[in-house]
mmCIF file of all heavy atoms in Angstrom:
data_model
loop_
_atom_site.group_PDB
_atom_site.id
_atom_site.type_symbol
_atom_site.label_atom_id
_atom_site.label_comp_id
_atom_site.label_asym_id
_atom_site.label_seq_id
_atom_site.Cartn_x
_atom_site.Cartn_y
_atom_site.Cartn_z
ATOM 1 N N GLU A 758 108.832 -115.691 33.838
ATOM 2 C CA GLU A 758 107.478 -115.186 33.638
ATOM 3 C C GLU A 758 106.412 -116.183 34.074
ATOM 4 O O GLU A 758 105.219 -115.942 33.911
ATOM 5 C CB GLU A 758 107.278 -114.827 32.150
ATOM 6 C CG GLU A 758 108.215 -113.723 31.655
ATOM 7 C CD GLU A 758 107.966 -113.384 30.193
ATOM 8 O OE1 GLU A 758 107.128 -114.064 29.571
ATOM 9 O OE2 GLU A 758 108.609 -112.448 29.691
ATOM 10 N N VAL A 759 106.864 -117.299 34.637
ATOM 11 C CA VAL A 759 105.940 -118.366 35.023
ATOM 12 C C VAL A 759 105.818 -118.420 36.543
ATOM 13 O O VAL A 759 106.812 -118.348 37.268
ATOM 14 C CB VAL A 759 106.433 -119.739 34.489
ATOM 15 C CG1 VAL A 759 105.507 -120.860 34.945
ATOM 16 C CG2 VAL A 759 106.545 -119.707 32.970
ATOM 17 N N THR A 760 104.596 -118.543 37.028
ATOM 18 C CA THR A 760 104.335 -118.734 38.450
ATOM 19 C C THR A 760 103.948 -120.189 38.686
ATOM 20 O O THR A 760 102.988 -120.690 38.092
ATOM 21 C CB THR A 760 103.201 -117.822 38.942
ATOM 22 O OG1 THR A 760 103.579 -116.454 38.764
ATOM 23 C CG2 THR A 760 102.910 -118.065 40.418
ATOM 24 N N VAL A 761 104.728 -120.863 39.534
ATOM 25 C CA VAL A 761 104.458 -122.260 39.869
ATOM 26 C C VAL A 761 103.823 -122.299 41.257
ATOM 27 O O VAL A 761 104.401 -121.807 42.234
ATOM 28 C CB VAL A 761 105.753 -123.098 39.858
ATOM 29 C CG1 VAL A 761 105.458 -124.535 40.293
ATOM 30 C CG2 VAL A 761 106.392 -123.067 38.476
ATOM 31 N N GLN A 762 102.639 -122.875 41.354
ATOM 32 C CA GLN A 762 101.941 -122.985 42.634
ATOM 33 C C GLN A 762 102.259 -124.350 43.233
ATOM 34 O O GLN A 762 101.684 -125.366 42.879
ATOM 35 C CB GLN A 762 100.437 -122.801 42.450
ATOM 36 C CG GLN A 762 99.705 -122.529 43.759
ATOM 37 C CD GLN A 762 98.274 -122.086 43.557
ATOM 38 O OE1 GLN A 762 97.715 -122.205 42.471
ATOM 39 N NE2 GLN A 762 97.665 -121.557 44.611
ATOM 40 N N ALA A 763 103.201 -124.369 44.190
ATOM 41 C CA ALA A 763 103.665 -125.626 44.774
ATOM 42 C C ALA A 763 102.687 -126.171 45.801
ATOM 43 O O ALA A 763 102.558 -127.394 45.962
ATOM 44 C CB ALA A 763 105.035 -125.431 45.421
ATOM 45 N N VAL A 764 102.020 -125.283 46.537
ATOM 46 C CA VAL A 764 101.031 -125.665 47.541
ATOM 47 C C VAL A 764 99.796 -124.809 47.335
ATOM 48 O O VAL A 764 99.899 -123.595 47.139
ATOM 49 C CB VAL A 764 101.578 -125.480 48.971
ATOM 50 C CG1 VAL A 764 100.513 -125.792 50.018
ATOM 51 C CG2 VAL A 764 102.810 -126.339 49.199
ATOM 52 N N LYS A 765 98.615 -125.449 47.375
ATOM 53 C CA LYS A 765 97.379 -124.774 47.017
ATOM 54 C C LYS A 765 96.331 -124.894 48.122
ATOM 55 O O LYS A 765 95.697 -125.933 48.277
ATOM 56 C CB LYS A 765 96.818 -125.374 45.720
ATOM 57 C CG LYS A 765 97.807 -125.434 44.566
ATOM 58 C CD LYS A 765 97.266 -126.242 43.403
ATOM 59 C CE LYS A 765 98.305 -126.437 42.311
ATOM 60 N NZ LYS A 765 97.816 -127.312 41.208
ATOM 61 N N SER A 766 96.198 -123.844 48.919
ATOM 62 C CA SER A 766 95.118 -123.717 49.906
ATOM 63 C C SER A 766 94.974 -124.966 50.782
ATOM 64 O O SER A 766 93.896 -125.563 50.868
ATOM 65 C CB SER A 766 93.788 -123.413 49.198
ATOM 66 O OG SER A 766 93.865 -122.205 48.483
ATOM 67 N N VAL A 767 96.052 -125.340 51.447
ATOM 68 C CA VAL A 767 96.070 -126.528 52.296
ATOM 69 C C VAL A 767 95.719 -126.146 53.737
ATOM 70 O O VAL A 767 96.291 -125.207 54.293
ATOM 71 C CB VAL A 767 97.455 -127.205 52.247
ATOM 72 C CG1 VAL A 767 97.584 -128.279 53.317
ATOM 73 C CG2 VAL A 767 97.704 -127.791 50.863
ATOM 74 N N SER A 768 94.794 -126.882 54.339
ATOM 75 C CA SER A 768 94.379 -126.630 55.727
ATOM 76 C C SER A 768 94.370 -127.932 56.521
ATOM 77 O O SER A 768 93.902 -128.961 56.018
ATOM 78 C CB SER A 768 92.971 -126.012 55.765
ATOM 79 O OG SER A 768 92.923 -124.768 55.109
ATOM 80 N N PHE A 769 94.894 -127.879 57.746
ATOM 81 C CA PHE A 769 94.865 -129.045 58.637
ATOM 82 C C PHE A 769 95.289 -128.597 60.030
ATOM 83 O O PHE A 769 95.716 -127.454 60.239
ATOM 84 C CB PHE A 769 95.788 -130.163 58.136
ATOM 85 C CG PHE A 769 97.224 -129.742 57.943
ATOM 86 C CD1 PHE A 769 98.113 -129.717 59.010
ATOM 87 C CD2 PHE A 769 97.686 -129.378 56.680
ATOM 88 C CE1 PHE A 769 99.436 -129.329 58.838
ATOM 89 C CE2 PHE A 769 99.008 -128.984 56.498
ATOM 90 C CZ PHE A 769 99.883 -128.965 57.581
ATOM 91 N N GLU A 770 95.200 -129.515 60.985
ATOM 92 C CA GLU A 770 95.695 -129.292 62.333
ATOM 93 C C GLU A 770 96.624 -130.443 62.709
ATOM 94 O O GLU A 770 96.470 -131.563 62.217
ATOM 95 C CB GLU A 770 94.545 -129.201 63.343
ATOM 96 C CG GLU A 770 93.632 -128.009 63.105
ATOM 97 C CD GLU A 770 92.508 -127.932 64.130
ATOM 98 O OE1 GLU A 770 92.375 -128.869 64.948
ATOM 99 O OE2 GLU A 770 91.757 -126.941 64.106
#
Side-chain angles (χ1 to χ4, degrees):
E758 298 181 356
V759 177
T760 298
V761 177
Q762 196 169 14
V764 176
K765 308 170 186 176
S766 299
V767 169
S768 298
F769 56 83
E770 296 181 354

